[in-house]
């Protein structure tokens, strides 16, 4: 066997080991998420997950009819998982996008005759299966800012429920004045009013 052949076999062996390590890291991460985040991942492509897009209607504390369209994203996409698996080093927390296996992010749009409210979402599931939700925080977009003279969504209270194609949330609001500041009055029940909204899955 020539020296060049030995070198070729050596590098092929290194490449094979590198690929095996990558595959191992990728699938260890994936199967961990299948077990720990069943609300976000499934081997069944048709599984009904909390992850997805949801839509519903509600009347805000001023009795304005609004439509909410909410998207909850996967904690880690396949592309992100592949990128992390290909790294030579990794954080102690592992390949997961967060050490907190109950956390999720997303976006929401609330539309009405007065305009469009754009939000980023940050929340948690309370139970491992994800059917009961903890508080979901609605953060207004930095680009557009809160809609003026409007009851903007502040959060969804603890106790939201998800089952198959149905999602139920109870919303709390912050009123934004014409100057962009918040306003509340204990003498007016509108400012402490909570609204329950029923959303259904939007199928892609």
């Amino acid at each position: 066997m020539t020296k060049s052949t030995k070198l070729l076999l050596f590098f092929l062996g290194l490449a094979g080991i590198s690929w095996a390590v990558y595959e191992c890291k990728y699938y260890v991460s994936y199967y961990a998420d299948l077990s720990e985040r069943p609300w976000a991942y499934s081997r069944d492509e048709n599984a009904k997950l909390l992850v997805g897009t949801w839509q519903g209607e509600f009347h805000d504390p001023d009795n304005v009819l609004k439509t909410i369209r909410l998207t909850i994203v996967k904690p880690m996409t396949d592309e992100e998982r592949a990128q992390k698996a290909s790294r030579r080093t990794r954080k102690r927390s592992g390949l997961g996008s967060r050490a907190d296996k109950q956390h999720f992010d997303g976006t929401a749009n609330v539309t009405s005759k007065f305009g469009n409210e754009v939000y980023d979402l940050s929340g948690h599931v309370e139970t491992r299966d994800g059917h009961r939700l903890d508080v979901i925080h609605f953060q207004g977009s930095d680009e557009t800012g809160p809609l003026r003279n409007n009851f903007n969504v502040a959060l969804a209270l603890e106790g939201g429920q998800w089952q198959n194609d149905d999602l139920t949330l109870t919303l709390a609001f912050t009123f934004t004045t014409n100057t962009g500041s918040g306003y509340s009055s204990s003498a007016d029940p509108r400012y402490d009013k909570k609204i329950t909204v029923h959303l259904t899955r939007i199928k892609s």
Side-chain angles (χ1 to χ4, degrees):
M1 186 180 294
T2 65
K3 185 176 180 180
S4 60
T5 301
K6 290 180 179 179
L7 284 173
L8 177 61
L9 291 174
F10 174 75
F11 286 116
L12 286 174
L14 285 181
I17 292 172
S18 177
W19 178 254
V21 170
Y22 163 82
E23 287 281 291
C24 181
K25 290 166 67 175
Y26 181 95
Y27 283 104
V28 164
S29 168
Y30 174 67
Y31 284 112
D33 275 343
L34 285 177
S35 173
E36 297 170 351
R37 291 166 164 158
W39 48 271
Y41 299 95
S42 174
R43 280 180 281 189
D44 180 359
E45 293 183 356
N46 298 315
K48 296 178 179 180
L49 305 174
L50 176 62
V51 165
T53 300
W54 304 84
Q55 184 167 303
E57 291 186 342
F58 65 94
H59 287 86
D60 78 0
D62 259 343
N63 204 36
V64 175
L65 177 63
K66 296 184 174 182
T67 298
I68 180 170
R69 189 179 181 96
L70 181 153
T71 298
I72 297 173
V73 299
K74 287 184 178 181
M76 180 183 292
T77 65
D78 292 341
E79 183 180 42
E80 290 169 336
R81 194 185 306 279
Q83 290 174 349
K84 285 183 176 289
S86 66
R87 295 175 185 170
R88 291 189 177 185
T89 59
R90 59 185 176 89
K91 295 180 180 179
R92 185 173 298 178
S93 60
L95 285 173
S97 57
R98 293 177 180 267
D100 184 353
K101 297 296 185 179
Q102 294 178 299
H103 181 90
F104 61 82
D105 293 310
T107 59
N109 281 271
V110 178
T111 56
S112 70
K113 62 182 180 181
F114 295 122
N116 186 37
E117 306 163 34
V118 181
Y119 301 96
D120 291 321
L121 305 180
S122 178
H124 289 79
V125 296
E126 270 196 351
T127 55
R128 182 176 168 277
D129 60 16
H131 291 304
R132 180 178 170 86
L133 308 182
D134 206 334
V135 175
I136 304 173
H137 296 277
F138 285 65
Q139 177 65 45
S141 168
D142 291 334
E143 294 182 3
T144 60
L147 199 62
R148 306 294 177 91
N149 289 324
N150 182 64
F151 279 97
N152 294 289
V153 181
L155 52 85
L157 302 180
E158 176 186 359
Q161 299 285 335
W162 156 63
Q163 189 69 41
N164 295 325
D165 291 329
D166 298 301
L167 177 64
T168 301
L169 302 174
T170 299
L171 305 179
F173 302 84
T174 298
F175 186 80
T176 304
T177 67
N178 191 48
T179 62
S181 60
Y183 176 79
S184 181
S185 171
S186 59
D188 189 334
R190 292 179 304 161
Y191 295 98
D192 193 42
K193 190 171 185 179
K194 310 298 188 293
I195 305 292
T196 297
V197 55
H198 301 285
L199 302 96
T200 55
R201 186 185 306 279
I202 301 298
K203 297 179 180 179
S204 56

